[in-house]
Amino acid sequence: MKIENTKAQMRKGVLEYCILSILKDDDAYVAEILETLKDAKMLVVEGTIYPLLTRLKNAGLLSYRWEESTSGPPRKYYGLTETGKLFLKELNTTWNELQHAVNLVTKQKKK
């Protein structure tokens, strides 16, 4: 079994949560979202993020707006809907519970 496959699956499992968290305070366009994820070593490519953003939008968690750009074509900015904010709040609780449980099982102390 290759460790890279497992690591990739773990990242994919938290990607929705990370995207919603990135958008919790401000709207962002795809390049900004990707940059934040890459800076955090989430190793995401554009081909992965567009279907995920579409799925989150179709689920009513995200909305988008077009904004003119001074350096190219208009940009699509994504933001959380009210439903998305509530969903993220629930995910925060779930993440904290899961993190606590994993730390207990693996005997790691929370930093």
Side-chain angles (χ1 to χ4, degrees):
M1 184 172 202
K2 294 187 179 187
I3 189 68
E4 290 305 318
N5 292 342
T6 301
K7 287 163 66 172
Q9 288 302 315
M10 290 173 80
R11 280 188 211 97
K12 285 180 187 177
V14 297
L15 193 54
E16 279 184 26
Y17 177 53
C18 290
I19 289 172
L20 294 174
S21 295
I22 290 167
L23 298 172
K24 75 179 184 305
D25 294 322
D26 289 311
D27 294 355
Y29 64 102
V30 174
E32 292 172 324
I33 296 168
L34 282 170
E35 183 178 329
T36 302
L37 292 169
K38 287 179 182 177
D39 287 348
K41 309 285 189 260
M42 288 296 289
L43 306 174
V44 177
V45 295
E46 282 187 46
T48 301
I49 199 153
Y50 282 108
L52 182 52
L53 289 170
T54 299
R55 190 168 76 242
L56 293 170
K57 181 189 73 65
N58 290 344
L61 304 178
L62 297 181
S63 61
Y64 67 85
R65 63 181 164 77
W66 289 99
E67 193 171 295
E68 291 298 322
S69 170
T70 56
S71 60
R75 294 177 175 165
K76 187 189 275 190
Y77 281 80
Y78 288 89
L80 292 180
T81 62
E82 286 305 312
T83 302
K85 290 175 185 176
L86 293 172
F87 191 82
L88 177 58
K89 187 176 179 181
E90 288 189 35
L91 284 181
N92 281 328
T93 300
T94 302
W95 175 255
N96 290 331
E97 291 169 352
L98 180 60
Q99 185 179 25
H100 178 72
V102 170
N103 287 340
L104 284 175
V105 170
T106 61
K107 309 287 191 265
Q108 295 180 19
K109 294 184 179 182
K110 190 175 181 181
K111 294 182 179 181

